[in-house]
Amino acid sequence: MIDNLDKNIINALTENARLSYAEIAKDNGVSPATVHVRVEKLRKAGVITGARTTVDARKLGYDITCFIGIILRQAGDYPTALKKLENLPEVTEAYYTTGQYSVLIKVMVRNIDDLQKLLIERLQVIEEIQSTETLISLQAPIQRSIRA
Amino acid sequence: MIDNLDKNIINALTENARLSYAEIAKDNGVSPATVHVRVEKLRKAGVITGARTTVDARKLGYDITCFIGIILRQAGDYPTALKKLENLPEVTEAYYTTGQYSVLIKVMVRNIDDLQKLLIERLQVIEEIQSTETLISLQAPIQRSIRA
DNA sequence: TTTGAAAGTATTTAGGA
DNA sequence: TCCTAAATACTTTCAAA
């Protein structure tokens, strides 16, 4: 089971993945070795799945983030459509959803031209896709993790 | 400017934030000190913004992830509405968007009951919100970073 | 800007409470 | 399970190229 120490470790590391075990240990009144043991346990249990450095996409030239809602022709088209979406590097996230759309994807592109090309030349040509709806994100004011 | 070494470092760290500089150095035929200098440079330039450990939300009891499209009463309501959304810890992401919705939020909750309560008791009571539309995510098959 | 070398920290293992 | 202590490894600084 996950106890309070585990939770504190998870919350600390989801905010800053490069925090040292030594520091987390100090904050929690345990030894660094204990933190090490707990993190290994959480990793083996699949609770902790990895760690990613976050970057400012604009500084890398990706000025536009958007969400695209996709409606598929048929429910059964999902596996094939997903494979095709995986081949588009601009697609950074995909969600299989109930409601409005069959699939919601998050896309990052350099500019409006690239977005238009992506939509027309590489998304709308996918035969399993019936239609798409684009939401351009102008700002992402909240970006945080759930608390353990 | 960002050269190839910078890009390789960014790509390595966005995949695994806990990779050692020593290892990245080895993969790129430079010294660990150089990797250190580059990472500091990227951090100071605001390209690298942080690092977060990723967790399996379900293992923490958050069984439901969903996106909620929000339509505000008036465009000018955005700043007030955002402040209210920030106070809901279940809201892990928010995007100010063009198109269909004024705001798109990502929400993580423990179960359908909690989702219903969130929607009815804490979202739909926000006076700036005219209506909401919920997309429940059943799967998130793609989760990756843009490449530098 | 990069490097090797030194100094300072952190991680990791292992034995004992 | 946790700790201390020791060994290993990594990060960080710095002077020189």
Side-chain angles (χ1 to χ4, degrees):
Chain A
M1 269 315 318
I2 291 178
D3 67 9
N4 270 327
L5 176 57
D6 291 325
K7 286 187 187 174
N8 291 347
I9 292 171
I10 292 167
N11 289 334
L13 289 176
T14 49
E15 272 180 26
N16 179 3
R18 281 191 94 103
L19 263 188
S20 72
Y21 296 171
E23 199 161 348
I24 296 170
K26 193 153 50 85
D27 292 347
N28 286 277
V30 295
S31 75
T34 298
V35 175
H36 179 251
V37 169
R38 295 298 188 102
V39 170
E40 281 307 300
K41 183 195 74 175
L42 291 165
R43 215 193 303 278
K44 261 169 214 148
V47 179
I48 289 177
T49 54
R52 349 196 89 179
T53 292
T54 53
V55 298
D56 180 339
R58 282 178 206 227
K59 297 244 160 98
L60 294 178
Y62 292 88
D63 279 351
I64 297 182
T65 296
C66 57
F67 285 90
I68 302 176
I70 295 175
I71 297 172
L72 298 176
R73 287 196 198 288
Q74 302 177 39
D77 285 343
Y78 170 67
T80 322
L82 177 61
K83 260 177 223 143
K84 293 180 182 175
L85 292 171
E86 266 167 1
N87 288 329
L88 304 177
E90 296 90 341
V91 176
T92 59
E93 300 175 21
Y95 301 88
Y96 182 50
T97 56
T98 66
Q100 271 275 42
Y101 310 115
S102 325
V103 184
L104 182 70
I105 61 176
K106 185 177 178 183
V107 158
M108 306 191 92
V109 291
R110 299 192 168 270
N111 50 49
I112 287 280
D113 271 16
D114 284 6
L115 174 59
Q116 225 166 42
K117 275 185 199 148
L118 174 68
L119 281 169
I120 295 171
E121 296 171 17
R122 293 191 291 144
L123 270 178
Q124 287 162 2
V125 297
I126 295 177
E127 52 193 354
E128 291 80 11
I129 292 180
Q130 181 173 94
S131 60
T132 63
E133 218 160 75
T134 304
L135 313 179
I136 295 183
S137 162
L138 304 172
Q139 255 186 62
I142 301 178
Q143 289 288 316
R144 62 189 174 199
S145 316
I146 39 161
R147 308 222 93 216
Chain B
M1 268 316 317
I2 290 177
D3 66 10
N4 270 328
L5 177 56
D6 291 326
K7 286 187 188 175
N8 290 347
I9 291 171
I10 292 167
N11 289 334
L13 288 176
T14 49
E15 273 181 24
N16 179 3
R18 280 192 94 103
L19 264 187
S20 72
Y21 296 171
E23 198 161 348
I24 298 170
K26 192 152 52 86
D27 293 346
N28 286 277
V30 295
S31 75
T34 299
V35 175
H36 180 251
V37 167
R38 294 298 189 102
V39 170
E40 281 306 301
K41 183 194 74 175
L42 291 166
R43 215 193 302 277
K44 261 170 212 145
V47 178
I48 289 176
T49 54
R52 356 195 82 178
T53 292
T54 54
V55 297
D56 179 337
R58 281 178 206 228
K59 298 241 161 105
L60 294 177
Y62 292 88
D63 279 352
I64 298 183
T65 297
C66 57
F67 285 90
I68 302 176
I70 296 174
I71 298 172
L72 297 176
R73 287 196 199 287
Q74 302 178 39
D77 285 341
Y78 170 68
T80 322
L82 177 61
K83 261 177 225 146
K84 294 180 182 176
L85 291 171
E86 266 166 2
N87 288 330
L88 304 177
E90 296 90 342
V91 176
T92 59
E93 301 177 22
Y95 301 89
Y96 183 52
T97 56
T98 66
Q100 271 275 47
Y101 309 115
S102 324
V103 183
L104 182 71
I105 61 176
K106 185 177 177 183
V107 158
M108 305 189 93
V109 291
R110 299 192 169 270
N111 50 50
I112 287 278
D113 270 15
D114 283 7
L115 175 59
Q116 229 168 39
K117 276 186 200 148
L118 174 69
L119 281 169
I120 296 172
E121 296 170 17
R122 292 191 292 143
L123 271 178
Q124 287 162 4
V125 297
I126 295 177
E127 53 193 354
E128 290 79 12
I129 293 180
Q130 181 172 93
S131 60
T132 63
E133 218 161 75
T134 305
L135 313 178
I136 295 184
S137 161
L138 304 173
Q139 255 188 60
I142 301 178
Q143 288 290 315
R144 61 191 176 199
S145 315
I146 38 161
R147 307 221 95 215

